[in-house]
């Protein structure tokens, strides 16, 4: 399965008939602005200016890495009722948004793309090779990302949040341009030089080369407040300047802790989005991209409950944006999507008599990462 689901929220959940033209315009605007093109060409749509077309000046883009229909529905089923005769899902916040679209996710070279090429398509409109970030099919043409464009042309404040390392493929696609997603140090340098206002979530992966300055130090040299102190992070506001706020309790290569493993007091994806709003808020406008990156990692590991938990964690982050939208209903656009599906999740099949077995899942108490740690400690 290689489908991309797009959920849009603007203004209110319920629309009168005469408002549907506005919603269609918003859908076209979102598709244009984020360049989700079926044929991968930048000429397919004429981009709309959010300020002149709809008054939108606060844009949230949520990406569930590895998240498509099965992952979304599994989370809804898990939260719903499995009682015979009372079978029902519990909808997520974003599945109740009024506009839904589906898009194929192949990149320029594969029907099974990776996060680098798909995030590049989402951020800049270029279909490219798997493993390539922010460059066209020739691996040299730079595609200006929507974040870079809004920073340059509109002077909007820009935020990038991820539950995985902040120089991983998906967040990097909004500020970096490299031939290989594995060029972590070079990506980190471009992060520091981006001028973006807020980075948050996971650590910097492979933060330094031998003999080179740490990316954390480079960020400080470029005027960033770099902190993993919980109290400092919770005190951030729009007077804090440029910020990189990262977790003090990293798990699994510097990521946020899986929801199922998170201990009381640890900051969640929703917390980093909430602080992002505090840092970015201004009358001119802001753009905030937030990635639920460990949905993908749990999918690769075939850990269904960790996958479900982090899908719910992404939805909690969407709720934060939705609460903001209720305060700014005509000025806010929320887009929730996935970059590709990971893991081939199936909810019941013939060999199990179509038993969904969610009752068994409820007995799981930790992720595969935490379980491996316990085994290795013995």
């Amino acid at each position: 399965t290689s489908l991309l689901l797009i959920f849009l929220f603007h203004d209110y959940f319920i629309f009168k008939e005469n408002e549907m033209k506005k919603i269609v315009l918003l859908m076209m605007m979102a598709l244009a602005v984020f360049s989700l093109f079926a044929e991968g060409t930048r000429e397919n749509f004429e981009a709309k200016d959010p300020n002149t077309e709809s008054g939108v000046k606060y844009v949230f883009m949520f990406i569930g890495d590895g998240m498509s229909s099965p992952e979304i529905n599994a989370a809804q089923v898990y939260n719903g009722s499995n009682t015979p005769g009372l079978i029902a899902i519990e909808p997520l916040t974003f599945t109740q948004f009024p506009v839904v679209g589906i898009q194929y996710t192949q990149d320029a070279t594969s029907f099974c793309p990776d996060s680098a090429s798909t995030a590049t398509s989402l951020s800049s409109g270029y279909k490219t090779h798997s493993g390539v970030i922010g460059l066209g099919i020739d691996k040299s043409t730079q595609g200006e990302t929507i974040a870079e464009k809004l920073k340059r042309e509109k002077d909007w404040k820009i935020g990038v949040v991820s539950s995985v390392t902040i120089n991983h493929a998906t967040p990097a696609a909004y500020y970096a341009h490299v031939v290989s997603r594995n060029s972590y140090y070079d990506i980190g340098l471009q992060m520091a030089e981006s001028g973006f206002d807020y980075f948050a979530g996971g650590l910097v992966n492979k933060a330094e080369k031998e003999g080179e300055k740490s990316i954390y130090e480079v960020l400080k040299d470029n005027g960033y407040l770099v902190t993993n102190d919980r109290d400092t992070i919770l005190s951030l506001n729009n007077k804090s300047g440029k910020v990189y706020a990262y977790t003090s309790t990293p798990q699994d290569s510097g990521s946020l802790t899986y929801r199922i493993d998170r201990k009381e007091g640890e900051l969640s994806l929703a917390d980093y989005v909430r602080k992002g709003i505090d840092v970015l808020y201004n009358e001119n406008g802001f753009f905030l991209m937030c990635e639920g990156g460990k949905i993908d990692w749990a999918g690769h590991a075939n850990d269904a409950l960790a996958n479900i938990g982090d899908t719910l964690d992404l939805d909690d982050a969407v709720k934060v944006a939705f609460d903001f939208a209720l305060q700014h209903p005509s000025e806010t656009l929320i887009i929730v999507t996935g970059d590709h599906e990971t893991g081939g999740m199936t909810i019941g099949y013939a060999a199990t008599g179509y038993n969904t077995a969610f009752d068994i899942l409820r007995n799981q108490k930790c992720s595969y990462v935490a379980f491996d740690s316990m085994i290795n400690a013995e």
Side-chain angles (χ1 to χ4, degrees), residues 10 76 130 155 164 202 209-210 218 244 267 313 337 344 346-347 365 373:
H10 177 78
Q76 295 186 132
S130 294
D155 196 29
V164 300
K209 289 182 176 179
E210 185 176 351
V218 177
Y244 170 40
L267 298 180
D313 235 34
T337 187
T346 300
I347 304 175
K365 303 303 180 186
S373 295

Side-chain angles (χ1 to χ4, degrees), residues 12 21 81 90 99 129 136 147 161 205 221 224 232-233 262-263 302 315 343 358 361 368:
Y12 304 102
K21 288 184 179 179
S81 172
E90 178 69 29
V99 180
H129 300 259
V161 177
N205 187 30
D221 291 345
Y224 282 88
T232 301
I233 293 171
R262 190 164 59 232
K263 295 179 173 57
N302 294 319
D315 193 55
F358 277 82
L361 279 182
Y368 71 98

